[in-house]
């Protein structure tokens, strides 16, 4: 789900039109980074002070705002379009982007497809807190990028939260030739290739979890794949190399803290390594060799590499897996952790109560993660419903319901009458692609309410089912 490549290219064309109609070539040509980059905090301060009063209002949230926890790829994460800033501000933002990366990272991350030409023009800028405060964070988000700048936060999470990056080069091609991050694929496949047949049997799973599911889960849960501790010393070095290949793209101060977190949690030995036959959202099946989707996960860190059909990568590293990043208003205590099916049921319960409908349907391939047990805050829901979906009410006759929706109803013991008319609550993605889920001749009769905000209100009012 999320923006398609066609939509993103259309978005980029829109920026070009805006540029021509606006102030000309300085919007068409992205600023280049300075030869000498100032420190991150200095650049962030200069950028914040450069913003006009109106820009401050759009580009700022308090430090404890749930948006600081939110992550996804290609989804509006709040803030102001960088292309709307003046040229000096965009030049500072360009320097800030590059200063948050290592020298080798500067040769990669800014050159991702859909970023290499428009540069920061394709991004949004959001400050959580101000650089004048002791703690702040800058989010630079856009197509396949959710870059957090400002380092560790009060909650002792590396980079201040999950990082997201990606590249669409070699879309759909085996081996991702010419992809910016192909080297990471090679590191993961090298590890898989070194495993014995028995070890591969333990590492290989049928279906990957959602790519966005990088919440740290703490101890006492089962992780996919094979325990790195059970591998030989040489293979453990290979697993460490996979993590190093990701962290090497970021400035030394930030990557060093990530390594400190990993060491505090027990090192690479507490990770599990998994390789997957197929992506969570479907697509091509891997053959007998290493796939293009793999995951390294420990109680306090997750590295998820999804190279099918192109690259989306997410990672999250905390100092303490029992104290994950959780921001915003306290909503309710969740008695039991929710997996994919549990998240489905939660959102369907929310839509049923909200819509006054006969039944609700939340697409399984839209589930963005899991939800831990314990106190849940609004930021946790921002992540759990990170597609920014709206609730849509459809009307359809029983004989026009088939596919995934009919299968879900059958599992629940529901039987529809062919000639009866039913109201279905679902999300905008399913409403806009009804045939994908088994609906024909469906009529939209209401919609537009945020599922995220409706869920927050529901949990404050009703809490979680025991």
């Amino acid at each position: 789900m999320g923006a398609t490549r066609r939509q993103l290219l259309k978005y980029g064309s829109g920026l070009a039109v805006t540029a021509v109609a606006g102030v000309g070539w300085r919007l068409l040509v992205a600023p280049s980074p300075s030869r000498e980059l100032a420190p991150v905090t200095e650049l962030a301060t200069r950028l914040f002070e450069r913003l006009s009063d109106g820009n401050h209002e759009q580009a700022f949230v308090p430090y404890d705002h749930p948006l600081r926890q939110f992550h996804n790829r290609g989804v509006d994460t709040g803030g102001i379009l960088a292309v709307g800033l003046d040229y000096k501000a965009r030049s500072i933002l360009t320097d800030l982007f590059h200063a948050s990366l290592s020298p080798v990272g500067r040769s990669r991350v800014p050159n991702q497809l859909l970023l290499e030409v428009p540069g920061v023009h394709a991004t949004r800028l959001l400050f959580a807190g101000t650089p004048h405060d002791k703690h702040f964070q800058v989010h630079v988000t856009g197509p396949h990028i959710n870059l957090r700048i400002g380092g560790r936060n009060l909650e002792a999470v590396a980079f201040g939260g999950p990082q997201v990056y990606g590249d669409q080069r070699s879309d759909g091609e085996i081996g991702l030739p010419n992809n910016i991050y192909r080297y990471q694929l090679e590191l993961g496949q090298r590890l898989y290739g070194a495993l014995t047949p028995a070890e591969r049997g333990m590492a290989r799973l049928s279906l990957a979890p959602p790519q966005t599911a990088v919440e740290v889960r703490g101890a006492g849960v089962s992780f996919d794949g094979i325990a790195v501790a059970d591998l030989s010393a040489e293979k453990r070095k290979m697993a460490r190399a996979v993590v190093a290949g990701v962290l090497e793209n970021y400035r030394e101060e930030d990557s060093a803290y990530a390594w400190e977190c990993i060491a505090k949690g027990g090192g690479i030995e507490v990770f599990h390594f998994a390789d997957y036959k197929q992506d969570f959202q479907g697509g091509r099946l891997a053959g007998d060799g290493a796939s293009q989707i793999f995951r390294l996960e420990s109680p306090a860190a997750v590295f998820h590499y999804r190279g099918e059909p192109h690259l989306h990568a997410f990672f999250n590293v905390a100092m303490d897996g029992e104290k994950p990043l959780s921001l915003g208003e306290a909503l309710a205590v969740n008695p039991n952790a929710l997996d994919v099916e549990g998240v489905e049921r939660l959102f369907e319960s929310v839509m049923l109560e909200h819509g006054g409908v006969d039944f609700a349907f939340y697409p399984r391939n839209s589930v963005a993660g899991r939800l831990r047990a314990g106190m849940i805050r609004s930021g946790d829901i921002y992540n759990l419903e990170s597609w920014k979906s709206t609730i849509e009410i459809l009307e359809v006759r029983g004989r026009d319901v088939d596919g995934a929706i009919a299968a879900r109803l059958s599992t629940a013991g529901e039987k529809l009458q062919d000639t009866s008319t039913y109201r279905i609550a679902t999300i905008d993605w399913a409403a806009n692609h009804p045939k994908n889920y088994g609906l024909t001749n469906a009529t939209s009769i209401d919609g537009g309410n945020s599922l995220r905000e409706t869920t927050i209100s529901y949990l404050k009012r009703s809490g979680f089912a025991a």
Side-chain angles (χ1 to χ4, degrees), residues 95-334:
D95 279 4
L96 179 61
F97 190 112
H98 284 74
S100 73
L101 305 170
S102 67
V104 69
R106 291 170 203 152
S107 71
R108 293 170 178 157
V109 182
N111 293 315
Q112 295 178 185
L113 193 65
L114 305 178
L115 281 182
E116 62 177 339
V117 174
V120 298
H121 293 169
T123 67
R124 302 182 76 95
L125 169 67
L126 179 70
F127 281 88
T130 81
H132 301 296
D133 301 325
K134 184 177 180 180
H135 295 281
F136 75 95
Q137 192 171 87
V138 182
H139 287 198
V140 181
T141 60
H144 294 178
I145 189 75
N146 190 166
L147 183 64
R148 297 165 186 269
I149 304 172
R152 71 188 78 179
N153 53 21
L154 281 172
E155 296 78 17
V157 177
F159 304 97
Q163 295 276 45
V164 182
Y165 59 97
D167 189 28
Q168 280 191 269
R169 286 178 179 84
S170 309
D171 191 0
E173 296 185 51
I174 298 294
L176 301 181
N178 302 314
N179 193 282
I180 292 288
Y181 304 102
R182 173 183 162 82
Y183 75 97
Q184 294 178 6
L185 174 64
E186 292 173 340
L187 289 169
Q189 291 187 335
R190 179 169 172 254
L191 171 57
Y192 183 83
L195 301 179
T196 66
E199 290 169 343
R200 290 183 188 180
M202 296 174 67
R204 170 62 65 88
L205 282 88
S206 295
L207 192 68
Q211 59 187 335
T212 42
V214 290
E215 61 284 339
V216 298
R217 297 193 286 156
V221 301
S222 61
F223 299 113
D224 286 353
I226 188 169
V228 174
D230 293 339
L231 302 178
S232 67
E234 185 61 29
K235 293 168 191 174
R236 293 198 299 271
K237 287 181 182 178
M238 291 180 184
R240 184 179 177 86
V242 176
V243 174
V246 175
L247 296 181
E248 71 179 16
N249 287 326
Y250 302 91
R251 65 173 180 157
E252 184 177 355
E253 176 184 337
D254 293 338
S255 60
Y257 184 69
W259 280 117
E260 182 183 338
C261 291
I262 290 170
K264 178 71 179 297
I268 199 67
E269 287 76 14
V270 301
F271 281 77
H272 280 65
F273 172 70
D275 172 279
Y276 300 94
K277 290 182 181 179
Q278 189 176 38
D279 181 56
F280 178 73
Q281 294 180 315
R284 182 169 49 204
L285 285 166
D288 294 331
S291 79
Q292 297 190 165
I293 306 169
F294 59 83
R295 184 178 179 97
L296 275 160
E297 184 170 10
S298 77
V302 187
F303 293 82
H304 188 98
Y305 186 100
R306 176 197 185 243
E308 174 66 35
H310 50 260
L311 178 67
H312 296 157
F314 296 70
F315 70 93
N316 188 17
V317 181
M319 182 64 76
D320 185 349
E322 307 302 325
K323 298 178 181 178
L325 185 63
S326 182
L327 301 170
E329 182 182 7
L331 304 178
V333 174
N334 181 19

Side-chain angles (χ1 to χ4, degrees), residues 210-452:
Q211 59 187 335
T212 42
V214 290
E215 61 284 339
V216 298
R217 297 193 286 156
V221 301
S222 61
F223 299 113
D224 286 353
I226 188 169
V228 174
D230 293 339
L231 302 178
S232 67
E234 185 61 29
K235 293 168 191 174
R236 293 198 299 271
K237 287 181 182 178
M238 291 180 184
R240 184 179 177 86
V242 176
V243 174
V246 175
L247 296 181
E248 71 179 16
N249 287 326
Y250 302 91
R251 65 173 180 157
E252 184 177 355
E253 176 184 337
D254 293 338
S255 60
Y257 184 69
W259 280 117
E260 182 183 338
C261 291
I262 290 170
K264 178 71 179 297
I268 199 67
E269 287 76 14
V270 301
F271 281 77
H272 280 65
F273 172 70
D275 172 279
Y276 300 94
K277 290 182 181 179
Q278 189 176 38
D279 181 56
F280 178 73
Q281 294 180 315
R284 182 169 49 204
L285 285 166
D288 294 331
S291 79
Q292 297 190 165
I293 306 169
F294 59 83
R295 184 178 179 97
L296 275 160
E297 184 170 10
S298 77
V302 187
F303 293 82
H304 188 98
Y305 186 100
R306 176 197 185 243
E308 174 66 35
H310 50 260
L311 178 67
H312 296 157
F314 296 70
F315 70 93
N316 188 17
V317 181
M319 182 64 76
D320 185 349
E322 307 302 325
K323 298 178 181 178
L325 185 63
S326 182
L327 301 170
E329 182 182 7
L331 304 178
V333 174
N334 181 19
N336 301 296
L338 302 183
D339 59 9
V340 169
E341 291 185 14
V343 172
E344 271 180 3
R345 290 193 295 270
L346 171 62
F347 287 144
E348 289 175 352
S349 295
V350 170
M351 292 190 290
L352 272 172
E353 181 178 289
H354 168 78
V357 294
D358 298 295
F359 56 93
F361 173 74
Y362 188 82
R364 182 160 297 183
N365 61 4
S366 291
V367 174
R370 309 176 182 93
L371 193 65
R372 71 181 188 284
M375 177 56 72
I376 300 302
R377 293 178 171 81
S378 54
D380 300 312
I381 303 305
Y382 272 54
N383 273 354
L384 194 65
E385 205 301 286
S386 61
W387 299 114
K388 301 185 71 174
S389 299
T390 58
I391 301 172
E392 305 297 323
I393 310 299
L394 306 178
E395 196 168 74
V396 64
R397 289 173 300 183
R399 64 169 170 262
D400 293 326
V401 181
D402 199 356
I405 294 181
R408 183 79 57 80
L409 290 172
S410 177
T411 301
E414 297 280 351
K415 181 172 177 60
L416 303 185
Q417 301 300 314
D418 285 352
T419 58
S420 297
T421 299
Y422 299 90
R423 285 189 168 196
I424 303 173
T426 189
I427 59 172
D428 50 337
W429 175 262
N432 293 333
H433 302 83
K435 291 183 179 179
N436 290 359
Y437 301 100
L439 294 181
T440 55
N441 302 316
T443 302
S444 177
I445 59 174
D446 192 17
N449 288 285
S450 163
L451 177 57
R452 182 174 73 188

